[in-house]
Amino acid sequence: MLKSVGGLTAAVTLGGAALVAPAAHAAGLTVVEHNTDDPRMWYYRFQTPEIGWNPGVNVLLPDDYHTSGRRYPVLYLLHGGLQDFIEFDRLGIRAMTAGRPLIVVMPDGGPAGWYSNPVSSNVGPRNWENFHIHQLIPWIDANFRTYAEYDGRAVSGFSMGGFGALKYAAKYYGHFASVSSHSGPASLRREGGLVGHYINASSAVAELGGGTVYGVPLWDEARVSADNPVERIESYRHKRIFLVAGNGPDFLNIVDMVTEGQVLAGQREFRAALDAAGIPYEAHEEPGGHFVRPHLLQADIDGVVARLRKAA
């Protein structure tokens, strides 16, 4: 380990506890499908003008949510590329949060949406940033007992989602008191903008039908700078910062080498900038390449609970 110093809602009851039924319309979202049969993991699918298909969201509730009457802090947990909103359930998020007084929101972010509003799309709207920040967060606060404030929210993610977490925490400073990046890139311009070019290429192939997040052949430079963590260092001051990168990618796997190699170099550049600014953080470099490390995700969750406002 390395360290450096509103919508409309309706109440229903279950066992005498008030529950919130999903608002039909709130924050520009329309619930088109939902399942709340599981006492902890509630599922929703939305129709929204910001996305050209109906994205899903899993909302993982604390064990005592239905009986306590308390309000809870919220962790927004963002998946990686070519994954979906179910990914963290596959990785055991229910066990990791058992007994923790924390709501975890896990939204779709597209196969290569990069938690952005793209410069161009040939397949209809893919404004993931608008969906998450301007629609989903207000919808969650309208429909669940949350703290709708800075000290009530954290954002974390893996790979593409780790980048999204760093980006959202900087661009929307007042939204999140804690930010975590598990193998997420933190520098878009290093080595001739290799990561930025990769974002454009992957989004063109897997998300936007030839469109791009930042534009080609010329980037929208203002957009890149607004999204680039190493150019937004002051926006991380007074936040809890938790970083993870692998320092031993598979040399026989060129994708792993390029991906985690760039992640590690970019996070080191980011940490150096934080050090220069006197902004504390917690960072981990561990053997291996580009994958979620469950013990560090667990440590991150416990750190989020410690940092955010306590359930009450």
Side-chain angles (χ1 to χ4, degrees):
M1 181 174 72
L2 305 173
K3 288 189 177 181
S4 168
V5 251
L8 302 175
T9 61
V12 297
T13 60
L14 177 65
L19 301 181
V20 177
H25 300 275
L29 299 178
T30 300
V31 177
V32 295
E33 184 177 320
H34 74 281
N35 188 318
T36 57
D37 292 344
D38 188 288
R40 291 195 63 204
M41 188 70 81
W42 286 11
Y43 154 78
Y44 300 91
R45 194 167 289 280
F46 298 102
Q47 183 180 75
T48 165
E50 299 294 347
I51 307 297
W53 51 280
N54 296 336
V57 177
N58 269 343
V59 180
L60 182 59
L61 301 171
D63 300 291
D64 64 350
Y65 184 85
H66 305 307
T67 58
S68 71
R70 297 192 292 174
R71 291 191 177 275
Y72 296 86
V74 181
L75 167 62
Y76 288 84
L77 190 54
L78 311 179
H79 67 74
L82 302 181
Q83 298 177 350
D84 61 19
F85 72 102
I86 304 173
E87 184 64 24
F88 287 102
D89 201 18
R90 299 183 184 108
L91 293 172
I93 192 67
R94 301 187 200 210
M96 292 180 190
T97 56
R100 273 73 171 180
L102 181 70
I103 296 172
V104 183
V105 178
M106 295 162 281
D108 263 328
W114 288 97
Y115 298 92
S116 297
N117 302 329
V119 167
S120 61
S121 170
N122 297 320
V123 291
R126 296 292 188 274
N127 297 316
W128 292 105
E129 185 173 336
N130 283 353
F131 168 56
H132 295 138
I133 299 297
H134 302 302
Q135 294 185 316
L136 182 62
I137 290 176
W139 188 90
I140 291 293
D141 288 335
N143 284 277
F144 294 90
R145 299 194 310 274
T146 67
Y147 292 118
E149 60 186 59
Y150 177 76
D151 286 318
R153 299 193 197 99
V155 61
S156 177
F158 166 67
S159 188
M160 179 181 81
F163 167 74
L166 290 172
K167 167 186 169 171
Y168 285 173
K171 289 185 76 173
Y172 303 95
Y173 180 89
H175 282 58
F176 306 103
S178 174
V179 56
S180 311
S181 180
H182 296 258
S183 288
S187 179
L188 299 182
R189 297 184 185 276
R190 64 179 311 278
E191 293 194 13
L194 184 58
V195 171
H197 290 308
Y198 177 78
I199 289 174
N200 268 348
S202 61
S203 65
V205 171
E207 183 80 26
L208 301 172
T212 62
V213 170
Y214 293 121
V216 291
L218 300 177
W219 285 356
D220 181 329
E221 296 291 350
R223 190 179 299 228
V224 174
S225 293
D227 288 1
N228 194 6
V230 297
E231 295 184 62
R232 301 295 305 270
I233 293 300
E234 281 301 317
S235 296
Y236 298 98
R237 194 173 295 280
H238 306 305
K239 295 183 185 291
R240 170 186 175 266
I241 305 168
F242 186 91
L243 303 169
V244 177
N247 59 17
D250 182 356
F251 289 95
L252 299 178
N253 183 333
I254 186 62
V255 173
D256 195 45
M257 273 295 297
V258 171
T259 301
E260 200 64 14
Q262 284 297 312
V263 164
L264 179 61
Q267 285 200 10
R268 285 176 173 174
E269 179 187 348
F270 182 60
R271 283 159 28 199
L274 292 172
D275 285 335
I279 298 174
Y281 57 86
E282 179 178 340
H284 300 260
E285 290 184 13
E286 293 223 338
H290 197 66
F291 54 86
V292 176
R293 291 158 170 84
H295 67 289
L296 289 178
L297 181 56
Q298 181 71 77
D300 184 19
I301 289 167
D302 292 341
V304 165
V305 172
R307 170 60 184 88
L308 296 187
R309 183 172 174 178
K310 302 301 179 280

